[in-house]
Amino acid sequence: MSKKPIELTEAEWRIIKAVWAGEPCTAPGIQSVLEGETGWTYSTVRTLMDRMVVKGLLAAKKLGKMTTYRAVATPRQAQRGELMYALKNAFNGALTPMVECLLNTRDLTSDELDKIELLIQTKKRDVNKTPGRG
């Protein structure tokens, strides 16, 4: 059984990106990093980080009076969760319209298109190797 997809709020994205960049870290350290762009106080950051611990996104370790945090969620897991949320909610679970939207959203280079094509070819081979298919 697969784990429940990770869904992050905008605030949680800001926090976890800062944690990934500097873990292990502390709430004052993260507040210092994010203060200029968010204006968040220490108590706001600490509250968000503690909620993320409860959600299983961060792990906290108490060292005397200081608490250090590490990410439990990997960047790949967070990206996958975000993508699955968009697929489910914006595209009603239909992958083809989502891919079409992504392809038409910005200009792609020939190199990017070649890489996407290679990914599709590789996936086709994998699907055809699956027993009961092909």
Side-chain angles (χ1 to χ4, degrees):
M1 184 178 212
S2 64
K3 290 171 92 174
K4 183 181 175 208
I6 293 170
E7 293 181 9
L8 299 170
T9 66
E10 184 178 339
E12 289 169 342
W13 268 109
R14 287 178 186 253
I15 297 276
I16 204 158
K17 285 178 180 179
V19 171
W20 286 328
E23 61 186 333
C25 56
T26 63
I30 296 300
Q31 189 266 336
S32 168
V33 168
L34 296 177
E35 185 176 27
E37 68 183 71
T38 65
W40 292 340
T41 64
Y42 163 77
S43 61
T44 298
V45 171
R46 178 67 187 248
T47 299
L48 285 166
M49 292 179 82
D50 288 342
R51 287 181 185 163
M52 291 173 75
V53 170
V54 171
K55 287 176 73 174
L57 302 169
L58 298 178
K61 184 176 183 179
K62 192 87 167 152
L63 302 168
K65 292 184 178 185
M66 183 174 58
T67 303
T68 59
Y69 296 87
R70 288 187 175 277
V72 173
T74 66
R76 187 145 180 108
Q77 288 171 322
Q79 290 166 346
R80 179 176 168 75
E82 194 78 14
L83 197 57
M84 297 313 291
Y85 179 86
L87 178 65
K88 177 179 134 192
N89 293 293
F91 296 94
N92 296 320
L95 185 60
T96 302
M98 182 177 185
V99 172
E100 182 179 5
C101 180
L102 288 169
L103 290 172
N104 292 326
T105 297
R106 67 182 188 105
D107 292 332
L108 298 169
T109 67
S110 181
D111 187 47
E112 287 173 315
L113 289 168
D114 288 344
K115 288 177 183 176
I116 292 168
E117 191 171 30
L118 181 60
L119 290 170
I120 291 170
Q121 289 170 359
T122 301
K123 188 65 176 175
K124 279 183 178 179
R125 280 194 299 275
D126 291 347
V127 167
N128 288 334
K129 288 181 185 175
T130 304
R133 292 214 168 185

